Amino acid sequence: MEDFIFRALLAAIGISIIAGSLGCFVIWRRMSYFSESISHSALLGVSLGLISGLDIHIGLIVVGVLFATLIVALQQKDFLSNDAILGIFSHIALSLGIVVLALVGGTNTDYFSLLFGDILSISNQDIIWIYTILILVGVLLSVFWQRLLLLTLNEELGVASGLNRFAYQLLFMLMIALTVSVSVQIVGVLLITSLLIIPPAVARVFAGSPVQMVFLSIVVSIIAVVVGLNSSIYYDVATGPAIVIALGVLFGLSQLFTSKTLA
C-alpha cells in the first residue's frame, strides 16, 4: 500500500470514529443545522491560519470554538429562534471565509479541496491532529456520557437534577467544532455535515439502545469512508463526494430494510 493511501485510510478511520459518535447526539438533539453553520466557518479558520502563519488546524479550532460560543450565548437570549441564529451565522461565516481567503490565499489556494476535501493530501502531522482530537473527544464523551445523554433525551429532568444546561450545551458544541476542524481535508467544508448525520441516521434503523447506535454509527461511517476512498482512487473522482455517495447508498439500503420491516 502506498504511503499516502495508508495515511488517508488512517485519517478516515479516525474521523469516522469521532463523527460517528458525536453525530448520534446531533441527530438526537436535532442540531444538523448547527453542525452545518460551524462547518461554514471553516473557511474563515483556514484564512486565520494563513494570516497568522500558524497551523491551519489551529485557525480552524479557534474560529470554530469562537463561533460555537457566540451561537450558544445568543441562543440563551431567546430574542431569535435557533434556526434564525444558525442561518445568520452560517451565511456570514461562509461569506467572510470566501472573501478573506480570496484576499490572503493567493492563486495557489486550492478552493476545490477546501470545499470538497482532499484526503489523499493528508500528512503525518494531520494524522497526529486527528487522533489527538479523537482521544480528547473520546475522554470527554466517556466522562460526561450520562449527563449529556440525560440532557439530550430529557432536558427538563436533567436541569431539575442540577445539571447546567448552558455548560453542557457549550461543551457539546465545542466538540463539534473540534470535529469540524479535523474533517475539512476528508470531506471538505460543504460536506462535513453529511459525515455527522448520515451514519447515525442509518444506525438508528438497527440500534436498540443509545450505545448500540453510537457503535453502529461508527461502523457505518468507517465502511462509507473506506468504500468512498477506494472508489475515488479507482475512478479518479473527488474523495469527499465519493464518501457522501457511499453514505447515501447505505442510507437508501437502510430505508429499504425499514420498509420491509414495516410491511
Side-chain angles (χ1 to χ4, degrees), residues 43-70:
L43 283 180
L44 192 57
V46 172
S47 304
L48 177 62
L50 293 174
I51 293 173
S52 63
L54 299 173
D55 191 284
I56 288 179
H57 290 292
I58 296 178
L60 286 165
I61 291 173
V62 169
V63 172
V65 168
L66 176 62
F67 269 73
T69 305
L70 288 174

Side-chain angles (χ1 to χ4, degrees), residues 204-250:
R204 194 171 196 171
V205 175
F206 307 98
S209 68
V211 174
Q212 284 183 8
M213 184 169 164
V214 170
F215 175 76
L216 290 175
S217 177
I218 292 172
V219 171
V220 168
S221 186
I222 290 176
I223 292 172
V225 296
V226 170
V227 172
L229 176 60
N230 281 280
S231 299
S232 70
I233 295 172
Y234 185 80
Y235 294 105
D236 193 23
V237 296
T239 308
I243 291 173
V244 176
I245 291 172
L247 286 170
V249 171
L250 292 174

Side-chain angles (χ1 to χ4, degrees), residues 37 52 64 80 127 141 158 184 189:
S37 301
S52 63
L80 281 175
I127 298 293
L141 280 179
V184 171
V189 170

Side-chain angles (χ1 to χ4, degrees), residues 46-261:
V46 172
S47 304
L48 177 62
L50 293 174
I51 293 173
S52 63
L54 299 173
D55 191 284
I56 288 179
H57 290 292
I58 296 178
L60 286 165
I61 291 173
V62 169
V63 172
V65 168
L66 176 62
F67 269 73
T69 305
L70 288 174
I71 289 172
V72 174
L74 286 176
Q75 286 176 338
Q76 308 308 308
K77 296 183 179 297
D78 292 329
F79 69 93
L80 281 175
S81 62
N82 284 345
D83 61 335
I85 293 173
L86 294 174
I88 291 170
F89 271 85
S90 177
H91 294 96
I92 289 176
L94 184 60
S95 300
L96 275 175
I98 292 173
V99 170
V100 176
L101 195 59
L103 293 174
V104 303
T107 57
N108 294 326
T109 303
D110 188 353
Y111 293 96
F112 187 86
S113 66
L114 290 174
L115 295 176
F116 300 106
D118 185 15
I119 192 173
L120 298 181
S121 67
I122 293 287
S123 66
N124 291 328
Q125 187 177 9
D126 295 322
I127 298 293
I128 294 173
W129 271 105
I130 290 170
Y131 280 87
T132 299
I133 298 300
L134 170 60
I135 293 171
L136 178 60
V137 170
V139 169
L140 290 174
L141 280 179
S142 299
V143 173
F144 298 108
W145 170 262
Q146 293 294 341
R147 281 164 278 188
L148 285 171
L149 191 62
L150 177 59
L151 285 170
T152 298
L153 302 181
N154 194 328
E155 187 174 282
E156 291 77 12
L157 180 59
V159 173
S161 301
L163 298 179
N164 188 324
R165 182 174 67 90
F166 173 78
Y168 285 103
Q169 186 178 15
L170 181 59
L171 172 66
F172 174 70
M173 291 185 175
L174 294 181
M175 286 193 288
I176 294 293
L178 290 174
T179 304
V180 168
S181 72
V182 294
S183 301
V184 171
Q185 283 182 276
I186 307 294
V187 290
V189 170
L190 298 182
L191 303 176
I192 291 173
T193 305
S194 62
L195 202 60
L196 284 166
I197 63 175
I198 299 180
V202 176
R204 194 171 196 171
V205 175
F206 307 98
S209 68
V211 174
Q212 284 183 8
M213 184 169 164
V214 170
F215 175 76
L216 290 175
S217 177
I218 292 172
V219 171
V220 168
S221 186
I222 290 176
I223 292 172
V225 296
V226 170
V227 172
L229 176 60
N230 281 280
S231 299
S232 70
I233 295 172
Y234 185 80
Y235 294 105
D236 193 23
V237 296
T239 308
I243 291 173
V244 176
I245 291 172
L247 286 170
V249 171
L250 292 174
F251 177 75
L253 293 174
S254 72
Q255 297 309 299
L256 290 176
F257 180 86
T258 303
S259 301
K260 291 181 179 179
T261 303

